[in-house]
Amino acid sequence: MTWLKVILFAIAAGVYTGAVMLVPRLEGTSFQDIGISYEWWVIFAVIIVVNCKNCWGAMLKCFVFFLISQPIVYIVEILFGSLSFDMGWYYYSNFWLPMTFLTLPGGLIAYFCRKQNVLGGIVLGLGNTIQASLVLVYFGMAIKQFPFHLLSGLVCVASIIVMTLFIQKKKAIRLIAILLPIVLTAAIAVLAKMSGRVLF
C-alpha cells in the first residue's frame, strides 16, 4: 500500500466517521459504533499491514493512518457543532492519541500475521481476540435492546472469518487463528464473571 493510498484512506475514514457521528437518528446504533469502539479500526489496520512490504513500513503506515484519521473525526464533529472543542480534545487526548502511539509497536507486530506459520497464526489469533471479545459485548447489548448493535456483532464475526481465510492459507494455521480467540475470550469472560464484572 503506497503512502498516497494510506493518506487518502485515512482522510476518507476520518470524514466518514465524523459525518456519521453527526446524525442524531443513528445514535445508539451499529452505524455510530465506528466512532465509539474499535472493531472497524482493527479491520482498517489489518488491511494496511497485510498490504505492506516490510514490518517497518507496516508500523509507520499504520501509525500515520491513525495520526491523520482520528483528528479528522473530531474536527468534523467540532466544526458542525456535534462536540465542543474541549470535549473533542478530551476524547481524543484520553483515548485515541495514546492508541495512535500504540499502533507503532502494534503495526510492527501485526505485520507478522501474514506469515504462513505458527507465529502468523498466533498474531492473527490475537487480533481476532479483540474482535471476538467485542462479539460478546455487542451480542449482549443486542439481547438487551434488540436489534441495536447486532450488526456490529455480526461485523466482528465476519471479520474474524474473512481475515483468517484471506490472510492464512494453511488449514492448521487457520485453526490456530480461530481457536486462540475462542479460548482467550472464554477465559476473559470467566475471569470477568469471577471478579463480579460484566462485559456489557
Side-chain angles (χ1 to χ4, degrees):
M1 181 174 282
T2 65
W3 278 106
L4 178 59
K5 289 181 179 179
V6 170
I7 293 169
L8 292 176
F9 187 16
I11 293 171
V15 171
Y16 170 79
T17 304
V20 168
M21 299 305 290
L22 297 175
V23 184
R25 295 189 66 177
L26 297 180
E27 187 175 350
T29 70
S30 293
F31 296 99
Q32 285 195 352
D33 285 336
I34 190 173
I36 300 170
S37 188
Y38 41 83
E39 63 279 352
W40 279 105
W41 301 99
V42 170
I43 296 170
F44 296 158
V46 170
I47 290 172
I48 292 170
V49 300
V50 299
N51 284 288
C52 289
K53 294 182 179 180
N54 57 65
C55 59
W56 303 111
M59 176 184 73
L60 293 174
K61 287 176 180 177
C62 196
F63 172 71
V64 169
F65 172 80
F66 283 90
L67 190 65
I68 294 173
S69 61
Q70 288 305 318
I72 289 176
V73 174
Y74 294 102
I75 289 171
V76 170
E77 292 188 77
I78 291 168
L79 288 177
F80 288 90
S82 176
L83 283 178
S84 66
F85 176 82
D86 289 343
M87 287 301 294
W89 174 249
Y90 173 81
Y91 289 133
Y92 177 66
S93 63
N94 282 277
F95 183 72
W96 278 112
L97 184 58
M99 290 293 287
T100 296
F101 282 101
L102 286 175
T103 62
L104 285 168
L108 181 67
I109 295 169
Y111 172 79
F112 293 97
C113 74
R114 57 186 282 170
K115 298 295 183 182
Q116 303 299 306
N117 53 29
V118 173
L119 174 61
I122 292 173
V123 173
L124 181 57
L126 293 175
N128 284 343
T129 300
I130 298 173
Q131 305 297 71
S133 63
L134 287 170
V135 170
L136 292 183
V137 174
Y138 284 133
F139 282 179
M141 294 170 73
I143 290 171
K144 289 182 177 180
Q145 196 176 8
F146 188 83
F148 292 124
H149 303 290
L150 176 62
L151 181 59
S152 290
L154 294 174
V155 165
C156 292
V157 172
S159 70
I160 293 171
I161 297 170
V162 172
M163 288 192 298
T164 301
L165 294 179
F166 177 76
I167 296 172
Q168 290 297 332
K169 307 303 179 184
K170 299 178 181 178
K171 291 182 179 179
I173 307 303
R174 286 175 175 174
L175 191 61
I176 294 173
I178 292 293
L179 289 180
L180 185 60
I182 292 174
V183 172
L184 291 179
T185 304
I188 291 170
V190 170
L191 290 173
K193 186 174 182 180
M194 290 175 62
S195 64
R197 297 179 180 180
V198 292
L199 292 176
F200 49 85

